[in-house]
Amino acid sequence: MRLQPSGLACQAAPGRDLLSAAVTSGIRVPAACRNGVCELCEARLVSGQAMNTRNQQPITVGERLMMCRTQALTDLELEIPAVMASGNYQPRKFQAKVVDVRSISHDVYRVELQLPGRRDVAFHAGQYLSVNLPDADPCYFSIASRPSATNIELHIQASPDWVSAQKVIDALTSGQDVSVELPHGKACLAAAPAKPMVLVAAGTGFAQMKSLVEYLQETGFSQPIKLFWGVRKHEDMYLRSLAQQWHDDWAPFTFLPVVGDDEDNDWGGHHDQLVRAVLATGFDWSAVEVHASGSPTMVYTLMDALLEAGLPTQAFFSDVLEYAPRG
C-alpha cells in the first residue's frame, strides 16, 4: 500500500484493515475511533482493488473509503493528504506546561513538558523543537520521546559555560509555562524503514536516537539496529542503563558505547575513535540507513567515511546537513 502525496508505503496483510497496517508501520493516520464513524481516516482509492469490511462490497477506483474498515485485495495506492512525509509538518507554537525538571547527570537535565491538545500535536520520530524565552533567541533541542508519547521529553545539557541552555533550565525550574515551537527537522522517520539501521550519537545527541528507538520498538521493527553512543567520559553517558536495557530486552538491537577518555576539548581524537568503531561493524553499507546526531565536525567526519565505504548519499540522515551545510 502506497500513500500519496507523502510517498510512504507499508505492507497491508490479507484480512487486516488498512488503518492497522499503517499504524503498525509507524505511519501517523488521523483517527479517533475504530468503527468508521469519525471519518478522520478517509482516503481516496487511486489504484488497486479493496473491500469495505462493513458491507463486504468492493471499492471502486476514485471512491472515498475509511481505512479502518477497508481491506486490500491487491496492491493499493491511496490519496490521503493528512499523512505527511518526513519533515513536512509545519511548525506551530504552543504554550507548554512544565511537568518535571530533574538532573540526570553532572550537566544534563531531563525535562518533561505537557502540551495542550496533545493528540493534535504531530511530529515524526527524530525531530526537534525550539524553546522560546522572552528577549532571547530560540534554543533548539531534540525531542527524546516517541511521537505517541503523552508528554514531550527533552535532554538539556546546561552549565555556566552553556549560557543559553542554562537560561532555559533556570526558567523551567521556576515552574513557569514556556513557549515552544515544533516540529523542526527533516532527519526523521515518518514510517519504519525496510532495511537495517545504524544510529550514531555524540553526547546529548542520544535524545534524538531515543525517540527513533522507542518509535521503532512500537512498530515491531525487526531489522538489525546498532546504536553507537560516543562520549568523552563514562559519566557523560547519562542514560547508559536505558540503552543497555534495550540491548538486553530487544533482539534486533545492539548498543555499542564509545568512551573517549579524551581531555582534548575539540574532541578530535574522539571523533576518529567513534568513526572507526562504526566502520568496524562489518555492515554492507550499500544496504543500511544511517542517522547521526552530534557536532558538525563529528557528523561530516562520519558521513565522509561512510560514503567512501559505499553508503548511498540518500541513506545518511542528520539535522546538521540542514542547519550547518558545507559550503
Side-chain angles (χ1 to χ4, degrees):
M1 173 175 64
R2 184 170 293 278
L3 308 180
Q4 300 297 356
S6 68
L8 300 176
C10 65
Q11 293 293 322
R16 193 172 196 194
D17 68 82
L18 303 186
L19 179 60
S20 295
V23 170
T24 299
S25 296
I27 299 175
R28 188 180 187 275
V29 177
C33 69
R34 301 294 301 168
N35 61 9
V37 175
C38 73
E39 298 192 354
L40 292 178
C41 64
E42 183 182 66
R44 185 177 68 88
L45 182 61
V46 176
S47 65
Q49 299 177 19
M51 180 183 68
N52 186 320
T53 57
R54 175 169 292 182
N55 57 23
Q56 303 299 304
Q57 294 298 309
I59 298 170
T60 59
V61 171
E63 186 178 348
R64 296 284 174 176
L65 57 85
M66 297 298 115
M67 293 180 65
C68 67
R69 61 179 195 228
T70 301
Q71 290 180 1
L73 301 178
T74 65
D75 289 342
L76 302 180
E77 183 174 349
L78 304 179
E79 181 184 58
I80 177 168
V83 173
M84 296 288 186
S86 294
N88 281 359
Y89 285 125
Q90 293 302 306
R92 298 164 57 196
K93 289 186 176 180
F94 302 91
Q95 199 69 13
K97 178 180 178 60
V98 180
V99 176
D100 185 51
V101 180
R102 67 181 63 186
S103 173
I104 56 176
S105 82
H106 62 97
D107 65 351
V108 177
Y109 293 81
R110 180 189 179 275
V111 174
E112 187 177 350
L113 302 175
Q114 184 181 73
L115 300 183
R118 175 65 184 88
R119 191 173 65 186
D120 299 324
V121 180
F123 66 91
H124 292 310
Q127 292 195 289
Y128 60 94
L129 56 68
S130 66
V131 174
N132 306 298
L133 300 179
D135 303 318
D137 292 333
C139 289
Y140 296 91
F141 304 102
S142 292
I143 300 172
S145 40
R146 66 186 186 277
S148 64
T150 301
N151 292 334
I152 299 292
E153 179 181 339
L154 308 176
H155 301 164
I156 299 180
Q157 186 175 25
S159 70
D161 295 332
W162 299 71
V163 177
S164 58
Q166 188 63 56
K167 284 182 179 179
V168 171
I169 290 298
D170 291 342
L172 297 179
T173 52
S174 71
Q176 70 183 53
D177 290 349
V178 64
S179 173
V180 298
E181 183 179 83
L182 73 152
H184 294 283
K186 297 180 180 179
C188 54
L189 292 177
K195 59 175 71 172
M197 295 194 66
V198 175
L199 310 178
V200 185
T204 52
F206 175 77
Q208 182 182 27
M209 302 309 154
K210 179 177 178 293
S211 175
L212 294 174
V213 169
E214 292 184 344
Y215 165 80
L216 291 170
Q217 282 183 306
E218 189 175 53
T219 67
F221 189 72
S222 59
Q223 295 281 351
I225 307 174
K226 291 187 184 293
L227 168 65
F228 294 84
W229 188 4
V231 295
R232 278 198 193 96
K233 295 184 176 297
H234 287 283
E235 56 266 32
D236 296 332
M237 201 164 283
Y238 55 89
L239 283 178
R240 181 170 184 156
S241 60
L242 175 61
Q244 188 62 47
Q245 181 181 340
W246 295 334
H247 178 97
D248 295 339
D249 297 344
W250 190 26
F253 184 85
T254 303
F255 172 47
L256 296 153
V258 181
V259 180
D261 285 325
D262 187 355
E263 293 292 345
D264 186 356
N265 287 333
D266 68 11
W267 279 36
H270 173 71
H271 289 153
D272 290 340
Q273 181 182 0
L274 182 57
V275 171
R276 287 197 303 270
V278 174
L279 288 172
T281 57
F283 265 130
D284 174 4
W285 292 107
S286 67
V288 303
E289 182 168 308
V290 177
H291 288 251
S293 182
S295 70
T297 300
M298 185 279 281
V299 167
Y300 284 117
T301 300
L302 175 68
M303 184 182 74
D304 291 343
L306 292 181
L307 295 186
E308 185 176 348
L311 181 76
T313 303
Q314 66 272 20
F316 186 88
F317 297 87
S318 176
D319 290 317
V320 166
L321 307 185
E322 183 180 357
Y323 72 75
R326 290 198 287 205

